[in-house]
Amino acid sequence: MPSDHRLHPSSVLFALAGSLKSFLLPAVVLMWTSGRSAPESPDPGGWGPAGWMNRWMPGDFEIANWQFWALLFLIPSTLAALARYFSFRMRYEGTELVIKSGILFRNERHVPYARIQNLDAVRNVAHRLLGVAEVRVETGGGQTPEATISVLHETIFEEMRRRVFAGRDVQQAIEPGSDAAEISPQTSRTLLHLPVRELLLNGVLDNRGMVVIATAYGVLWEAGLFQSFWEQLTNGSYTPGLLRETVRTVASGNVPSFGRIAVLLIGIGGLLVLVRALSMVWSLLRLHEFRLTRVGDDLRTEYGLLTRVTTTVPLKRIQSLTVKEAPLQRLVDRMSVRVETAGGHGSPHDGQPKQPREMLAPIIRKSAVPALVQEVLPGFTLDGLNWRPLHPRAFRRAVKPFIIVSLVSALPFVFWFGWAGLLTLLLTLPWLVTLAWTHVHHTRWALRQGSGHAAAEDALVMRSGWLWREITVVPIAKIQAVGRVESPFDRRAAMAGVRVDTAGSASPMHRINIPYLARETASALYERLASQTAQTAFRW
Amino acid sequence: MDSGTDDAIADGVSRQVDPRWISVQRIHGAIFTGVLTIGSFVGMMVVWVASGILFLGLLLMPIWLALIGLLAWHTQRWPAIAFRHTWYRVDDAGLELLNGVYWRTITNVPRSRIQHTDVSQGPLERRHGLGTLVVYTAGTQHSQVKLYGLEFSIAQRIRTHLLPRDHGDAV
């Protein structure tokens, strides 16, 4: 067939690199560290298969027998990669994408365009050097992408994206091999573009530096370089328990030496600055040239300097929208906006911790949020909502578990220090009570009537949080199931909770779950949601 | 709205599941208790013999007996209580389920959200002519909603009723 596509030849290399990465990295680290701890190998490449391999190895790079066997395990994955490369065929039919693979066990998968939730492409540095992309096709079912195609030539991916989304919209057969120009190029409009300044700001606010630090720390620790690193940095005044020592000195009523305090303070201050700086670097690399565009009825995001990620989300596939505002963001009038789709949630095993919710705007000016929300959920505005609070007695109930927790946590102190241990309550109780109070007083819900008469435009909105504020919008038409829950405590207080299930809310997220409502309110809300949901048709 | 076949099922009246479900659950409970009794008895004997303390058996045995007795009592008693708190309602709009004795939940699954349905039957259920209706949605917390202890024919009728009939609902 003329429109049959194959994988890019480099896919074999990428598959190999993938298995090498997941498998040889620990091996190399082990090799290195074991070499450090036992420099004198008992039997440097004497007997066994590693013996002859070591003769070929340059310098003092020794491999042990088990490492040789480990290398052997790469052979099956190489064969698998080759088989995949030679057997893979992809073609476009009228309404579906057909993917064939396998030599012994042949598999032919038909993915209707109409079922494709989103189409993502990931390009890391190596991918981009070779002009290829790893493509993920996600449909509604399951936790993993329906098909991960690694790797396709970029032009093929572009064509695939065009055909998939054109085929979905037109819903009629596109003749295989027909001129691509027939598909009208859709207008594309930039909704958000993040300049370097915003990215740096995002880095400061987002604080991903800890992630970088933790990784670096782990590597240094693993390599045993930590001690010497610190010693060099602090010019010898560092000793392994500096902090512990200092605390002990203070506890025993002595004043620690000035030098020691200085080192500690500089260390802590430097660490904080370093974390933010690294976070800024992370943000610059990860979100480089972040651009959110609307192409026809799809939202497309593109970002990344080293690994370039492209995601395409059809607007009608959006299951919920969340606007988040962290305390630092509030200071500079910024927010972040995410949506959730029903697509796969990314598989943790492929190394890339994919965002379960599509990031529409990692950072956006507060004033620009309404326009973006309008774009995603037409006819919907966040202001003018009739926010309803929880039950007036909700705080009294919410605070009880917190009081119990603080009492229980004080028990060991009472055991050690006698009744003086109860003083810890002074510390924990106000904090926990505040927590309960903010939880109850900042959790609000609202039912939004759409501009039209159809229930399809209505939405259930919940907001929560005092410092970290989140607002989640779930259109009624996207609700899968409605539940009313009543615990024994709820029953005693004549209360109940309402929760709503949507597709794709598997991740620990801001899910709509309204606790502590008066029983009548909960029942009315439940009835209303149930009947309205039943009236609307769910379209993926 | 003409929803076709089985309107006797889809009348919007709350119903309890089949009372035979209680005896099925009791048999399940008895099997569970039996297995646990044997297992814990062997475990206790091993501890007793290994410790070499004669006295320990006198201490352990009553506790063990009490716990097993409690379990046996609970597994025979609980099904009837749970049965009283399990209701379902089928109407044109969909399926509604009430369950839970202490933590009570009402779950509503609209018909237009149902992806597919199963009616399953274990060996004990088959002997009692019962079946379990499983309704799948695209959701996550409630991606599977199970209704246990229906008479097999009723489970099948509900399934037939819930099958998506209106075109365009599913796409």
Side-chain angles (χ1 to χ4, degrees):
Chain A
M1 276 196 95
S3 65
D4 259 21
H5 290 294
R6 306 180 52 167
L7 292 176
H8 193 268
S10 65
S11 66
V12 180
L13 285 179
F14 282 109
L16 258 184
S19 43
L20 270 176
K21 201 166 62 178
S22 61
F23 175 77
L24 256 193
L25 191 69
V28 166
V29 168
L30 236 155
M31 240 191 283
W32 189 20
T33 48
S34 65
R36 280 171 48 87
S37 57
E40 273 171 75
S41 179
D43 184 13
W47 182 85
W52 61 264
M53 275 200 74
N54 278 335
R55 267 174 243 143
W56 301 93
M57 289 295 189
D60 52 7
F61 191 79
E62 304 275 350
I63 65 170
N65 283 341
W66 68 268
Q67 284 152 0
F68 170 79
W69 294 120
L71 279 174
L72 265 190
F73 280 106
L74 282 179
I75 292 175
S77 59
T78 314
L79 287 179
L82 282 172
R84 213 161 53 89
Y85 168 62
F86 283 114
S87 65
F88 183 92
R89 295 283 183 284
M90 181 181 86
R91 67 169 193 273
Y92 311 105
E93 291 196 348
T95 55
E96 55 191 13
L97 182 71
V98 183
I99 299 170
K100 279 195 217 176
S101 61
I103 289 179
L104 290 178
F105 298 91
R106 293 206 182 142
N107 181 25
E108 184 171 313
R109 178 172 283 181
H110 292 243
V111 187
Y113 297 143
R115 298 284 174 186
I116 293 176
Q117 299 291 323
N118 41 32
L119 198 58
D120 298 353
V122 178
R123 272 167 283 192
N124 62 27
V125 180
H127 286 133
R128 274 156 68 199
L129 279 177
L130 291 165
V132 295
E134 186 184 307
V135 180
R136 296 200 184 104
V137 183
E138 293 185 350
T139 61
Q143 299 289 305
T144 52
E146 188 67 38
T148 302
I149 308 170
S150 173
V151 292
L152 282 181
H153 197 272
E154 268 172 8
T155 53
I156 299 183
F157 168 63
E158 283 303 322
E159 195 192 337
M160 180 176 171
R161 180 156 70 182
R162 210 175 51 236
R163 278 181 182 270
V164 163
F165 290 112
R168 188 202 59 206
D169 291 337
V170 181
Q171 283 297 334
Q172 62 187 20
I174 300 160
E175 293 305 314
S178 68
D179 196 347
E182 278 176 26
I183 305 157
S184 60
Q186 286 159 316
T187 50
S188 115
R189 201 150 40 88
T190 300
L191 301 180
L192 180 71
H193 173 246
L194 296 182
V196 174
R197 209 184 78 103
E198 288 288 296
L199 290 181
L200 289 175
L201 186 61
N202 181 52
V204 175
L205 302 179
D206 199 27
N207 201 10
R208 293 297 180 113
M210 264 343 264
V211 180
V212 184
I213 296 249
T215 317
Y217 195 97
V219 170
L220 285 175
W221 184 266
E222 193 79 12
L225 288 174
F226 214 63
Q227 188 77 29
S228 57
F229 170 74
W230 273 115
E231 269 164 13
Q232 282 200 333
L233 194 77
T234 58
N235 211 2
S237 57
Y238 173 81
T239 41
L242 175 70
L243 188 65
R244 210 182 319 144
E245 202 104 312
T246 314
V247 170
R248 198 172 293 155
T249 319
V250 174
S252 60
N254 300 322
V255 180
S257 74
F258 178 72
R260 194 173 267 176
I261 295 179
V263 167
L264 258 183
L265 286 183
I266 292 170
I268 291 168
L271 195 71
L272 286 178
V273 173
L274 186 71
V275 164
R276 296 288 163 177
L278 283 174
S279 180
M280 284 158 91
V281 173
W282 184 90
S283 174
L284 275 182
L285 292 180
R286 184 81 209 276
L287 300 173
H288 173 76
E289 277 293 302
F290 184 96
R291 191 180 287 278
L292 171 72
T293 47
R294 178 163 176 174
V295 185
D297 280 336
D298 302 329
L299 290 178
R300 195 174 293 177
T301 51
E302 255 190 279
Y303 55 90
L305 181 64
L306 298 177
T307 300
R308 191 92 186 136
V309 181
T310 315
T311 65
T312 310
V313 183
L315 271 182
K316 60 183 181 193
R317 299 282 151 84
I318 289 172
Q319 308 291 324
S320 67
L321 175 133
T322 300
V323 180
K324 195 174 176 183
E325 189 187 31
L328 281 177
Q329 285 181 324
R330 187 152 51 244
L331 276 180
V332 288
D333 263 353
R334 297 291 193 282
M335 290 175 137
S336 61
V337 180
R338 287 166 173 236
V339 292
E340 189 157 274
T341 61
H345 293 275
S347 29
H349 66 260
D350 64 4
Q352 280 270 336
K354 209 186 133 263
Q355 301 279 351
R357 323 184 80 201
E358 304 292 342
M359 196 161 47
L360 283 195
I363 181 165
I364 182 172
R365 275 173 200 285
K366 219 173 193 168
S367 53
V369 170
L372 183 61
V373 172
Q374 273 286 342
E375 202 73 48
V376 179
L377 301 167
F380 187 86
T381 48
L382 280 176
D383 31 70
L385 287 174
N386 180 19
W387 291 111
R388 318 255 191 101
L390 303 182
H391 196 281
R393 276 181 289 126
F395 171 66
R396 222 188 290 172
R397 289 205 36 218
V399 80
K400 277 177 197 162
F402 286 104
I403 290 179
I404 292 171
V405 165
S406 53
L407 284 178
V408 168
S409 65
L411 274 183
F413 293 100
V414 173
F415 186 73
W416 286 324
F417 303 113
W419 291 114
L422 280 180
L423 287 176
T424 54
L425 281 181
L426 286 180
L427 219 67
T428 54
L429 211 50
W431 179 63
L432 288 171
V433 168
T434 316
L435 217 64
W437 194 85
T438 55
H439 170 61
V440 165
H441 283 263
H442 290 272
T443 303
R444 301 270 158 113
W445 61 278
L447 257 179
R448 170 78 193 187
Q449 219 108 32
S451 52
H453 297 289
E457 283 185 25
D458 292 0
L460 180 64
V461 197
M462 187 179 98
R463 81 161 195 228
S464 69
W466 170 46
L467 292 174
W468 282 267
R469 289 186 194 158
E470 280 185 292
I471 300 179
T472 291
V473 185
V474 175
I476 300 282
K478 299 296 182 196
I479 293 177
Q480 295 293 330
V482 188
R484 205 200 79 164
V485 280
E486 200 184 281
S487 72
F489 312 106
D490 274 329
R491 201 151 41 248
R492 216 176 62 175
M495 292 189 203
V498 170
R499 66 178 180 212
V500 152
D501 193 25
T502 58
S505 54
S507 49
M509 54 148 277
H510 196 236
R511 128 187 326 155
I512 295 211
N513 189 349
I514 312 166
Y516 307 128
L517 293 175
R519 192 183 281 147
E520 307 80 57
T521 318
S523 296
L525 179 63
Y526 164 81
E527 293 289 341
R528 180 156 177 203
L529 288 175
S531 72
Q532 283 194 342
T533 308
Q535 280 165 29
T536 58
F538 174 62
R539 298 185 192 281
W540 272 105
Chain B
M1 182 180 137
D2 176 33
S3 61
T5 49
D6 247 321
D7 284 331
I9 288 289
D11 52 3
V13 173
S14 291
R15 287 200 172 81
Q16 287 192 297
V17 297
D18 200 288
R20 282 173 291 179
W21 178 239
I22 301 177
S23 37
V24 171
Q25 280 295 80
R26 282 189 177 146
I27 298 173
H28 275 298
I31 294 172
F32 178 74
T33 314
V35 170
L36 206 74
T37 308
I38 295 169
S40 56
F41 184 76
V42 171
M44 188 180 62
M45 281 304 166
V46 168
V47 169
W48 190 11
V49 171
S51 69
I53 309 169
L54 193 68
F55 196 59
L56 193 69
L58 293 174
L59 196 75
L60 279 180
M61 199 69 88
I63 298 173
W64 175 76
L65 269 177
L67 284 178
I68 290 294
L70 202 68
L71 180 71
W73 179 76
H74 174 81
T75 51
Q76 296 311 302
R77 185 71 207 291
W78 188 257
I81 300 172
F83 170 80
R84 282 206 298 278
H85 289 92
T86 306
W87 295 77
Y88 69 93
R89 192 164 66 88
V90 185
D91 59 18
D92 258 354
L95 171 73
E96 189 172 75
L97 223 90
L98 275 82
N99 53 25
V101 176
Y102 292 116
W103 269 265
R104 290 183 196 158
T105 319
I106 311 180
T107 310
N108 185 297
V109 184
R111 212 167 87 185
S112 58
R113 302 298 193 273
I114 294 172
Q115 298 291 314
H116 63 277
T117 46
D118 282 352
V119 173
S120 66
Q121 227 183 2
L124 270 176
E125 286 174 296
R126 194 153 42 238
R127 272 192 53 179
H128 287 79
L130 298 178
T132 301
L133 177 74
V134 190
V135 171
Y136 295 86
T137 71
T140 38
Q141 290 166 292
H142 300 286
S143 61
Q144 263 187 43
V145 177
K146 290 185 178 182
L147 179 51
Y148 293 99
L150 289 172
E151 197 192 304
F152 190 60
S153 62
I154 291 183
Q156 283 187 317
R157 276 166 70 197
I158 297 177
R159 177 182 56 189
T160 321
H161 171 74
L162 291 178
L163 284 180
R165 229 167 287 136
D166 309 330
H167 298 290
D169 264 5
V171 182

